Amino acid sequence: MGGSQGEWMPFRPGSEACGSVFCRQWPENIVPDGELVGAKFVDTSIYKTKVNESNFEYSNFSNSNIKDTIFKENNLGLTSFGECKLKNVKFNECELYRTQMFRTNLKGIDFSACNIDGIVVDKEDLKGVIVNQFQAVELSKLLGIIVK
């Protein structure tokens, strides 16, 4: 994992990094495919990256800056995105079950093709989030709305 930021590659496709700590800049276009359960990406910059079919369950992305990134078919269940800055981030068919996104502005983020059951968010951060009709009913509970 050593070397300059331009050379740094935390893992190769298909690798395992369970419980690992990544607190550096994540270079462009690294595509991790593997088991990253419990990995810590705290204060990490992730940009121009496609992340496909990886397991990030129980991982921590808190205080990270994530920009121009696509998460496709990833397990992000029980993961923390607390106080993250998300810009042009796409979640496509991701598992976001009970994912924590406190103090993370979700304006423009499209969760409509994801499982967001039990997602933990500040109601103020929901303004502008894109969801499907079933997700909207679930999220309305966070606003104290009762749907009959």
Coordinates of all heavy atoms in Angstrom, one line a residue, residues 32-83:
P32 N -12.5 -1.7 -7.6 CA -12.4 -2.9 -6.7 C -13.5 -3.8 -6.9 O -14.7 -3.4 -6.9 CB -12.4 -2.2 -5.3 CG -13.2 -1.0 -5.5 CD -13.0 -0.5 -6.9
D33 N -13.2 -5.1 -7.1 CA -14.2 -6.2 -7.1 C -13.8 -7.1 -6.0 O -12.9 -7.9 -6.2 CB -14.2 -6.9 -8.4 CG -14.7 -6.0 -9.6 OD1 -15.4 -5.1 -9.4 OD2 -14.2 -6.2 -10.7
G34 N -14.5 -7.1 -4.9 CA -14.1 -8.1 -3.9 C -14.8 -7.8 -2.6 O -15.7 -7.1 -2.5
E35 N -14.2 -8.5 -1.6 CA -14.8 -8.4 -0.2 C -14.0 -7.3 0.6 O -12.8 -7.4 0.8 CB -14.5 -9.8 0.5 CG -15.3 -10.9 -0.1 CD -16.8 -10.7 0.2 OE1 -17.2 -10.3 1.3 OE2 -17.6 -11.0 -0.8
L36 N -14.8 -6.3 0.9 CA -14.3 -5.2 1.6 C -15.1 -4.9 2.9 O -15.3 -3.8 3.3 CB -14.2 -3.9 0.8 CG -13.3 -4.1 -0.4 CD1 -13.7 -3.2 -1.6 CD2 -11.9 -3.9 0.0
V37 N -15.6 -6.0 3.5 CA -16.4 -5.9 4.7 C -15.7 -5.3 5.8 O -14.5 -5.6 6.1 CB -16.9 -7.3 5.1 CG1 -17.7 -7.3 6.4 CG2 -17.7 -8.0 4.0
G38 N -16.3 -4.2 6.4 CA -15.7 -3.5 7.5 C -14.5 -2.6 7.2 O -13.8 -2.1 8.1
A39 N -14.2 -2.4 5.9 CA -13.1 -1.5 5.5 C -13.4 0.0 6.0 O -14.6 0.4 6.0 CB -12.9 -1.5 4.0
K40 N -12.4 0.7 6.3 CA -12.5 2.1 6.8 C -11.9 3.0 5.7 O -10.7 3.0 5.5 CB -11.8 2.2 8.1 CG -12.5 1.4 9.2 CD -11.7 1.4 10.5 CE -12.3 0.5 11.5 NZ -12.2 -0.9 11.2
F41 N -12.8 3.8 5.1 CA -12.4 4.8 4.1 C -12.7 6.2 4.7 O -13.0 7.1 4.0 CB -13.3 4.6 2.9 CG -13.1 3.3 2.2 CD1 -13.9 2.2 2.4 CD2 -12.1 3.2 1.2 CE1 -13.7 1.0 1.8 CE2 -11.9 2.0 0.6 CZ -12.7 0.9 0.9
V42 N -12.4 6.4 6.0 CA -12.7 7.7 6.7 C -11.8 8.8 6.1 O -10.6 8.5 5.9 CB -12.4 7.5 8.2 CG1 -12.6 8.8 8.9 CG2 -13.4 6.5 8.8
D43 N -12.4 9.9 5.8 CA -11.6 11.1 5.3 C -10.9 10.8 4.0 O -9.9 11.3 3.7 CB -10.6 11.6 6.3 CG -11.3 12.2 7.5 OD1 -12.3 12.9 7.4 OD2 -10.8 11.9 8.6
T44 N -11.5 10.0 3.1 CA -11.0 9.6 1.9 C -11.6 10.4 0.7 O -12.7 10.7 0.8 CB -11.2 8.1 1.6 OG1 -10.6 7.3 2.7 CG2 -10.6 7.6 0.3
S45 N -10.8 10.7 -0.3 CA -11.3 11.3 -1.5 C -11.4 10.2 -2.6 O -10.4 9.6 -2.9 CB -10.3 12.4 -2.0 OG -10.3 13.5 -1.1
I46 N -12.6 10.0 -3.1 CA -12.8 9.1 -4.1 C -13.4 9.8 -5.3 O -14.4 10.5 -5.2 CB -13.8 8.0 -3.7 CG1 -13.3 7.3 -2.4 CG2 -14.1 7.0 -4.8 CD1 -14.3 6.3 -1.7
Y47 N -12.8 9.7 -6.5 CA -13.2 10.5 -7.6 C -13.0 9.7 -8.9 O -12.1 8.9 -9.0 CB -12.5 11.9 -7.7 CG -11.0 11.8 -7.7 CD1 -10.3 11.7 -8.9 CD2 -10.3 11.7 -6.5 CE1 -8.9 11.6 -8.8 CE2 -8.9 11.6 -6.5 CZ -8.3 11.5 -7.7 OH -6.9 11.4 -7.7
K48 N -14.0 10.0 -9.9 CA -13.9 9.4 -11.2 C -13.7 7.9 -11.1 O -12.8 7.3 -11.7 CB -12.9 10.1 -12.1 CG -13.2 11.5 -12.3 CD -12.1 12.1 -13.2 CE -12.4 13.6 -13.4 NZ -11.4 14.2 -14.2
T49 N -14.5 7.2 -10.3 CA -14.3 5.8 -10.0 C -15.6 5.0 -10.3 O -16.7 5.5 -10.0 CB -13.8 5.6 -8.6 OG1 -12.7 6.4 -8.4 CG2 -13.6 4.1 -8.3
K50 N -15.5 3.8 -10.8 CA -16.6 2.9 -11.0 C -16.3 1.8 -10.0 O -15.3 1.1 -10.1 CB -16.7 2.4 -12.4 CG -17.1 3.5 -13.4 CD -17.1 2.9 -14.8 CE -17.4 4.0 -15.8 NZ -17.5 3.5 -17.2
V51 N -17.3 1.5 -9.2 CA -17.2 0.5 -8.2 C -18.3 -0.5 -8.5 O -19.5 -0.2 -8.3 CB -17.3 1.0 -6.7 CG1 -17.1 0.0 -5.7 CG2 -16.4 2.2 -6.5
N52 N -17.9 -1.7 -8.9 CA -18.8 -2.8 -9.3 C -18.8 -4.0 -8.4 O -17.7 -4.5 -8.1 CB -18.6 -3.2 -10.7 CG -18.7 -2.0 -11.7 OD1 -19.7 -1.3 -11.7 ND2 -17.7 -1.9 -12.6
E53 N -20.0 -4.5 -8.1 CA -20.1 -5.8 -7.5 C -19.2 -6.1 -6.3 O -18.6 -7.2 -6.3 CB -20.0 -6.9 -8.6 CG -21.0 -6.8 -9.7 CD -20.9 -7.8 -10.8 OE1 -20.1 -8.7 -10.6 OE2 -21.6 -7.6 -11.8
S54 N -19.1 -5.2 -5.4 CA -18.2 -5.4 -4.3 C -19.0 -5.4 -3.0 O -20.1 -4.9 -2.9 CB -17.1 -4.3 -4.2 OG -16.2 -4.5 -5.2
N55 N -18.5 -6.0 -2.0 CA -19.2 -6.1 -0.7 C -18.5 -5.2 0.3 O -17.4 -5.4 0.8 CB -19.2 -7.6 -0.2 CG -20.0 -7.7 1.1 OD1 -20.6 -6.8 1.6 ND2 -20.0 -8.9 1.6
F56 N -19.2 -4.0 0.6 CA -18.7 -3.0 1.5 C -19.5 -3.1 2.8 O -19.5 -2.1 3.6 CB -18.8 -1.6 0.9 CG -17.8 -1.4 -0.2 CD1 -18.2 -1.5 -1.5 CD2 -16.6 -0.9 0.1 CE1 -17.4 -1.3 -2.6 CE2 -15.7 -0.6 -1.0 CZ -16.1 -0.8 -2.3
E57 N -20.2 -4.1 3.1 CA -21.0 -4.2 4.3 C -20.2 -3.8 5.5 O -19.1 -4.2 5.7 CB -21.6 -5.6 4.4 CG -22.7 -5.7 5.4 CD -23.4 -7.0 5.4 OE1 -22.8 -8.0 5.1 OE2 -24.6 -7.1 5.6
Y58 N -20.8 -3.0 6.4 CA -20.2 -2.5 7.7 C -19.0 -1.6 7.4 O -18.2 -1.4 8.4 CB -19.8 -3.7 8.6 CG -20.9 -4.6 9.0 CD1 -21.1 -5.8 8.4 CD2 -21.8 -4.2 10.0 CE1 -22.1 -6.7 8.8 CE2 -22.8 -5.0 10.4 CZ -23.0 -6.2 9.8 OH -24.0 -7.1 10.2
S59 N -18.8 -1.1 6.2 CA -17.7 -0.2 6.0 C -18.0 1.2 6.4 O -19.1 1.6 6.7 CB -17.3 -0.2 4.5 OG -16.8 -1.5 4.2
N60 N -16.9 2.0 6.5 CA -17.1 3.4 7.0 C -16.5 4.4 6.0 O -15.3 4.4 5.8 CB -16.4 3.5 8.4 CG -16.7 4.9 9.0 OD1 -17.2 5.8 8.4 ND2 -16.4 5.0 10.3
F61 N -17.3 5.2 5.4 CA -16.9 6.2 4.4 C -17.0 7.6 5.1 O -17.0 8.6 4.4 CB -17.7 6.2 3.2 CG -17.5 5.0 2.3 CD1 -18.1 3.8 2.5 CD2 -16.6 5.1 1.2 CE1 -17.9 2.7 1.7 CE2 -16.3 4.0 0.4 CZ -17.0 2.8 0.6
S62 N -17.2 7.7 6.4 CA -17.5 9.0 7.0 C -16.5 10.1 6.7 O -15.3 9.8 6.5 CB -17.5 8.8 8.5 OG -18.6 8.0 8.9
N63 N -17.0 11.3 6.5 CA -16.2 12.5 6.2 C -15.5 12.4 4.9 O -14.5 13.1 4.7 CB -15.2 12.8 7.4 CG -16.0 13.1 8.7 OD1 -16.8 13.9 8.7 ND2 -15.6 12.3 9.7
S64 N -15.9 11.6 4.0 CA -15.2 11.4 2.7 C -15.8 12.4 1.7 O -17.0 12.8 1.8 CB -15.3 10.0 2.2 OG -14.5 9.1 3.0
N65 N -15.0 12.6 0.7 CA -15.4 13.5 -0.5 C -15.5 12.5 -1.7 O -14.5 12.0 -2.1 CB -14.4 14.6 -0.7 CG -14.8 15.5 -1.8 OD1 -15.9 15.5 -2.3 ND2 -13.9 16.4 -2.1
I66 N -16.7 12.3 -2.2 CA -16.9 11.3 -3.2 C -17.5 12.1 -4.4 O -18.5 12.7 -4.3 CB -17.8 10.1 -2.8 CG1 -17.3 9.5 -1.5 CG2 -18.0 9.1 -3.9 CD1 -18.2 8.5 -0.9
K67 N -16.8 12.0 -5.5 CA -17.2 12.8 -6.7 C -17.0 12.0 -8.0 O -16.1 11.2 -8.1 CB -16.2 14.0 -6.7 CG -16.4 15.0 -7.8 CD -15.4 16.2 -7.6 CE -15.1 16.8 -8.9 NZ -14.1 17.9 -8.7
D68 N -18.0 12.2 -8.9 CA -18.0 11.6 -10.2 C -17.8 10.1 -10.1 O -16.9 9.5 -10.8 CB -16.9 12.2 -11.1 CG -17.2 13.7 -11.3 OD1 -18.3 14.1 -11.4 OD2 -16.2 14.5 -11.3
T69 N -18.5 9.4 -9.2 CA -18.3 8.0 -8.9 C -19.6 7.2 -9.1 O -20.7 7.7 -8.8 CB -17.8 7.9 -7.5 OG1 -16.5 8.4 -7.5 CG2 -17.7 6.4 -7.1
I70 N -19.5 6.0 -9.6 CA -20.7 5.1 -9.8 C -20.5 3.9 -8.9 O -19.5 3.2 -9.0 CB -20.8 4.7 -11.3 CG1 -21.0 6.0 -12.2 CG2 -22.0 3.7 -11.4 CD1 -20.9 5.7 -13.6
F71 N -21.5 3.6 -8.1 CA -21.5 2.4 -7.3 C -22.6 1.5 -8.0 O -23.8 1.9 -8.1 CB -22.0 2.7 -5.9 CG -20.9 3.4 -5.0 CD1 -20.9 4.7 -4.9 CD2 -20.0 2.6 -4.4 CE1 -20.0 5.4 -4.1 CE2 -19.0 3.3 -3.6 CZ -19.0 4.7 -3.5
K72 N -22.2 0.4 -8.6 CA -23.1 -0.5 -9.3 C -23.1 -1.9 -8.7 O -22.1 -2.5 -8.6 CB -22.8 -0.5 -10.8 CG -23.8 -1.3 -11.6 CD -23.5 -1.3 -13.0 CE -24.6 -2.1 -13.7 NZ -24.4 -2.2 -15.2
E73 N -24.3 -2.3 -8.3 CA -24.5 -3.6 -7.7 C -23.6 -4.0 -6.6 O -23.0 -5.0 -6.5 CB -24.4 -4.7 -8.9 CG -25.4 -4.5 -10.0 CD -25.3 -5.5 -11.1 OE1 -24.6 -6.6 -10.9 OE2 -25.8 -5.2 -12.2
N74 N -23.5 -3.0 -5.7 CA -22.6 -3.2 -4.5 C -23.5 -3.4 -3.3 O -24.6 -2.9 -3.2 CB -21.8 -2.0 -4.2 CG -20.7 -1.8 -5.3 OD1 -19.7 -2.4 -5.3 ND2 -21.0 -0.9 -6.2
N75 N -22.9 -4.2 -2.3 CA -23.6 -4.3 -1.0 C -23.0 -3.3 -0.1 O -21.8 -3.4 0.3 CB -23.3 -5.7 -0.4 CG -24.0 -5.9 0.9 OD1 -24.6 -5.0 1.5 ND2 -23.9 -7.1 1.5
L76 N -23.8 -2.2 0.2 CA -23.4 -1.1 1.1 C -24.2 -1.1 2.3 O -24.4 -0.1 3.0 CB -23.5 0.2 0.3 CG -22.5 0.4 -0.8 CD1 -23.0 1.4 -1.8 CD2 -21.1 0.7 -0.4
G77 N -24.8 -2.3 2.6 CA -25.7 -2.4 3.8 C -24.9 -2.2 5.1 O -23.8 -2.6 5.2
L78 N -25.6 -1.5 6.0 CA -25.0 -1.2 7.3 C -23.7 -0.4 7.2 O -22.8 -0.5 8.1 CB -24.8 -2.5 8.1 CG -26.1 -3.2 8.4 CD1 -25.9 -4.7 8.7 CD2 -26.9 -2.5 9.5
T79 N -23.5 0.4 6.2 CA -22.3 1.2 5.9 C -22.6 2.6 6.4 O -23.7 3.1 6.4 CB -22.0 1.1 4.4 OG1 -21.6 -0.2 4.1 CG2 -20.8 2.0 4.1
S80 N -21.6 3.3 6.8 CA -21.7 4.7 7.2 C -21.1 5.7 6.1 O -20.0 5.5 5.7 CB -20.9 5.0 8.5 OG -21.0 6.3 8.8
F81 N -22.0 6.6 5.7 CA -21.6 7.7 4.8 C -21.9 9.0 5.6 O -22.3 10.0 5.0 CB -22.4 7.7 3.5 CG -22.0 6.7 2.5 CD1 -22.7 5.4 2.5 CD2 -21.1 6.9 1.6 CE1 -22.3 4.4 1.6 CE2 -20.7 5.9 0.6 CZ -21.3 4.7 0.7
G82 N -21.6 9.0 6.9 CA -21.9 10.2 7.7 C -21.0 11.4 7.3 O -19.8 11.2 7.1
E83 N -21.6 12.5 7.2 CA -20.9 13.8 6.9 C -20.1 13.7 5.6 O -19.0 14.3 5.6 CB -20.1 14.3 8.1 CG -21.0 14.5 9.3 CD -20.3 15.1 10.5 OE1 -19.8 16.2 10.3 OE2 -20.2 14.5 11.5

